Amino acid sequence: QVQLVESGGGLVQAGGSLRLSCVASQRIFNINNAMGWYRQAPGKQRDLVARIFGGGSTDYADSVKGRFTISRDNAKSTMYLQMNSLKPEDTAVYYCRTQSFGLTYWGQGTQVTVSS
């Protein structure tokens, strides 16, 4: 059973924007739990991009501060990542992540490709 489903990836030119969505199943969604976006480029490790905590506070990787905005809609069990001023180095597979009852859940990933 798929617990987290990402969407919104695609091909965009440098300077463009994309909005990623991550829908969590009701079985694992908890408004008190943090949710996060991670990304993995070919040949590199998976790194944190941004996360949002139950109270709504956020933090970001230095490389995306001022360009990306993370948000969540608890009524829809959905987390978003608005990505502006995209750069070729933002090219990666983007994954959403959350934890529930001590277990970690990952989505299947969505590809973001930024052309120069």
Side-chain angles (χ1 to χ4, degrees):
Q1 182 179 2
V2 178
Q3 309 289 358
L4 294 170
V5 179
E6 302 103 333
S7 62
L11 173 64
V12 65
Q13 289 188 331
S17 298
L18 284 173
R19 188 195 194 203
L20 306 183
S21 299
C22 172
V23 181
S25 69
Q26 289 300 313
R27 194 172 81 83
I28 68 168
F29 183 78
N30 186 317
I31 63 172
N32 296 311
N33 288 351
M35 299 182 73
W37 287 100
Y38 291 71
R39 67 186 180 187
Q40 187 168 20
K44 296 189 176 181
Q45 66 181 19
R46 190 173 297 186
D47 291 325
L48 174 69
V49 175
R51 56 187 171 182
I52 184 166
F53 299 92
S57 60
T58 60
D59 69 323
Y60 296 89
D62 288 343
S63 59
V64 307
K65 283 180 180 177
R67 300 188 298 122
F68 291 9
T69 302
I70 190 171
S71 62
R72 62 193 289 172
D73 184 336
N74 291 329
K76 296 181 179 179
S77 306
T78 302
M79 175 179 64
Y80 303 98
L81 186 68
Q82 178 66 44
M83 305 186 295
N84 299 328
S85 303
L86 282 160
K87 304 175 180 179
E89 51 263 45
D90 294 318
T91 295
V93 178
Y94 284 69
Y95 299 89
C96 64
R97 175 188 185 270
T98 193
Q99 290 184 307
S100 179
F101 296 106
L103 298 178
T104 299
Y105 296 89
W106 292 92
Q108 82 286 355
T110 185
Q111 176 71 46
V112 171
T113 302
V114 185
S115 62
S116 57

